[in-house]
């Protein structure tokens, strides 16, 4: 027996479909991309969509949009969004976030030697959870023997980051010493010359 058409059922089905989809009409999303290699933001996890809504990062970060979070003081969070994986080091946009009052700060920790935009951080990140310190190693070349190493003290989400340490090693064409300790010092940015 054929069931009669029910407008109420149709309205319910449309409403359920709309609830299942993410509301993206107010988000600036990357729309021009190679659909053969990436299915677009539709392939993001629920977590990525939530962070995009909260942080509203630029669409240039949408292609990768890998998000990592780290605990700060007073239940704040450091949020890193990878924008470009890069050949030997990624580019990130960094934020601090406080959930209780939805406070968001876009950090300006980009090094002028690496980028013209202080909101872009180019380099490898290492966060020391116990000390709430963020180390950024911005390499000048893929060999990893030169660049800039900086350590920032982070407090809560609302306190600006404070530079604790800056080390630099310039690139040189001179051959490396055969001494093992000298070689290790060249590739360990925590041993590069300290800049005052």
């Amino acid at each position: 027996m054929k069931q009669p058409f029910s407008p109420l059922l149709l309205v319910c089905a449309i409403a359920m479909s709309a609830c299942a989809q993410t509301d993206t009409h107010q988000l600036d999303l990357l729309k021009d991309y190679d659909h053969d290699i990436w299915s677009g933001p539709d392939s993001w996890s629920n977590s990525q969509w939530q962070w995009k809504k909260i942080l509203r990062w630029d669409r240039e970060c949408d292609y990768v949009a890998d998000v990592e979070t780290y605990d700060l003081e007073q239940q704040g969070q450091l949020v890193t969004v990878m924008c470009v994986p890069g050949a030997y080091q990624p580019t990130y946009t960094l934020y601090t976030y406080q959930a209780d009052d939805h406070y968001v700060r876009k950090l300006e920790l980009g090094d002028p030697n690496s980028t013209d935009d202080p909101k872009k951080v180019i380099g490898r990140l290492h966060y020391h959870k116990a000390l709430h310190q963020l180390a950024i190693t911005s390499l000048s070349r893929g060999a990893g023997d030169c660049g800039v190493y900086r350590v920032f003290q982070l407090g809560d989400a609302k306190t600006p980051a404070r530079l604790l340490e800056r080390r630099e090693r310039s690139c040189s064409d001179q051959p490396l010493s055969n001494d093992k300790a000298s070689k290790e010092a060249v590739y360990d940015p925590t041993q590069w010359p300290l800049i005052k």
Side-chain angles (χ1 to χ4, degrees), residues 29 81 127 156:
L29 289 169
V81 181
Y127 185 66
D156 58 32

Side-chain angles (χ1 to χ4, degrees), residues 121-136:
V121 174
I122 300 172
R124 299 175 183 166
L125 307 180
H126 175 74
Y127 185 66
H128 194 295
K129 294 177 185 178
L131 298 175
H132 302 298
Q133 291 179 355
L134 176 67
I136 304 171

Side-chain angles (χ1 to χ4, degrees), residues 43-143:
S43 66
W44 285 352
S45 68
N46 287 338
S47 176
Q48 284 171 296
W49 277 115
Q50 288 170 354
W51 281 116
K52 175 73 174 186
K53 287 180 178 181
I54 292 168
L55 304 175
R56 298 187 175 275
W57 61 71
D58 296 336
R59 63 183 156 193
E60 66 186 16
C61 293
D62 286 351
Y63 226 126
V64 179
D66 279 347
V67 179
E68 298 285 336
T69 61
Y70 304 91
D71 292 337
L72 296 174
E73 295 174 9
Q74 298 179 22
Q75 300 178 345
Q77 289 179 298
L78 168 65
V79 186
T80 68
V81 181
M82 185 190 292
C83 303
V84 180
Y88 54 89
Q89 62 188 351
T91 300
Y92 294 91
T93 304
L94 309 179
Y95 301 84
T96 54
Y97 175 66
Q98 189 74 37
D100 58 4
D101 61 358
H102 308 289
Y103 176 86
V104 175
R105 176 198 294 266
K106 193 178 216 181
L107 299 179
E108 296 190 5
L109 302 183
D111 186 68
N113 296 338
S114 305
T115 178
D116 295 330
D117 184 350
K119 294 179 179 127
K120 290 182 181 176
V121 174
I122 300 172
R124 299 175 183 166
L125 307 180
H126 175 74
Y127 185 66
H128 194 295
K129 294 177 185 178
L131 298 175
H132 302 298
Q133 291 179 355
L134 176 67
I136 304 171
T137 305
S138 301
L139 299 174
S140 297
R141 61 184 176 195

Side-chain angles (χ1 to χ4, degrees), residues 2 8 21 23 30 36 76-77 87 116 121 143 173-174 195:
K2 190 174 179 182
L8 181 59
Q21 295 177 358
D23 179 18
L30 179 65
D36 291 335
Q77 289 179 298
D116 295 330
V121 174
D173 293 331
Q174 297 176 357
I195 305 300

